[in-house]
């Protein structure tokens, strides 16, 4: 039993860039008989994220990857563009909708053949390794600054100085 395909239409909430992406993806997915009514919302979310990603990219390209930031002490610093974080979030959102760790895990659990389960296990491992490499790169380039893992306790003498 396969879901119906009679209600596949581009949602009106999508902007021009997202609609263009929607149309090209739907065309490709229909050709290989992979687009159904069930997929409409996920694809719309992906296309909307793509549109926002393109917009972030254009803004960053125009303003540069580093921007000036003035803190409360009136000190001006150069910091990574805030949209770099948003761009990373959108990328991850699009990627998770396309090939997610959860989908691979579900396929592994539902597979009745060991070779199929192992195949999805390989996809899962590749995806996890890619995520780890991306995390390392984002930290190295300063695009992701994790909070401190611990706070060093200072002695009362150091606090009073």
């Amino acid at each position: 039993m396969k879901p119906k395909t009679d209600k596949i239409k581009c949602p009106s909430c999508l902007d021009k860039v997202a609609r263009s992406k929607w149309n090209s993806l739907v065309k490709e997915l229909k050709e290989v008989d992979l687009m159904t009514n069930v997929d409409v919302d996920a694809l719309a979310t992906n296309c909307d994220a793509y549109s926002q990603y393109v917009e972030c990219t254009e803004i960053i390209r125009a303003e540069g990857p580093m921007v000036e930031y003035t803190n409360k002490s009136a000190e001006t610093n150069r910091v990574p563009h805030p949209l770099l974080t948003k761009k990373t979030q959108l990328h991850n959102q699009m990627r998770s909708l396309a090939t997610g760790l959860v989908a691979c895990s579900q396929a592994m659990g539902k597979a009745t053949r060991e070779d199929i389960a192992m195949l999805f296990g390989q996809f899962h491992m590749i995806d996890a390794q890619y995520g780890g490499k991306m995390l390392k790169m984002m930290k190295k380039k300063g695009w992701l600054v994790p909070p401190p893992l611990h706070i060093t306790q200072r002695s009362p003498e150091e606090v009073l100085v």
Side-chain angles (χ1 to χ4, degrees), residues 12-153:
S12 59
C13 62
L14 297 180
D15 64 16
K16 183 179 178 181
V17 173
R19 282 179 181 276
S20 175
K21 188 68 168 176
W22 166 276
N23 291 330
S24 67
L25 288 174
V26 167
K27 180 182 175 190
E28 295 285 329
L29 292 169
K30 279 185 173 180
E31 285 179 9
V32 292
D33 201 29
L34 288 178
M35 186 68 190
T36 68
N37 294 347
V38 176
D39 304 312
V40 169
D41 291 335
L43 186 60
T45 301
N46 192 306
C47 292
D48 184 50
Y50 173 78
S51 176
Q52 291 178 49
Y53 183 88
V54 169
E55 184 178 1
C56 286
T57 301
E58 290 170 354
I59 293 170
I60 292 167
R61 192 173 291 134
E63 297 178 2
M66 301 293 283
V67 294
E68 289 189 357
Y69 168 76
T70 305
N71 62 19
K72 292 178 183 177
S73 303
E75 297 171 340
T76 302
N77 300 309
R78 301 233 349 121
V79 297
H81 201 297
L83 288 179
L84 288 170
T85 302
K86 179 68 174 174
K87 190 174 168 181
T88 301
Q89 291 169 344
L90 291 165
H91 174 265
N92 290 337
Q93 178 183 346
M94 290 183 294
R95 201 168 139 260
S96 70
L97 287 169
T99 58
L101 291 171
V102 174
C104 289
S105 297
Q106 288 175 343
M108 286 169 33
K110 292 179 182 179
T112 55
R113 291 177 32 193
E114 292 84 6
D115 57 340
I116 300 296
M118 293 302 290
L119 181 66
F120 279 102
Q122 289 174 344
F123 294 156
H124 189 278
M125 183 56 66
I126 290 167
D127 203 17
Q129 288 173 341
Y130 178 76
K133 288 177 184 176
M134 288 296 295
L135 180 64
K136 187 175 181 179
M137 182 199 70
M138 288 188 297
K139 286 180 181 178
K140 183 178 177 182
K141 292 190 176 272
W143 298 343
L144 176 67
V145 180
L149 298 176
H150 66 285
I151 298 173
T152 308
Q153 292 287 333

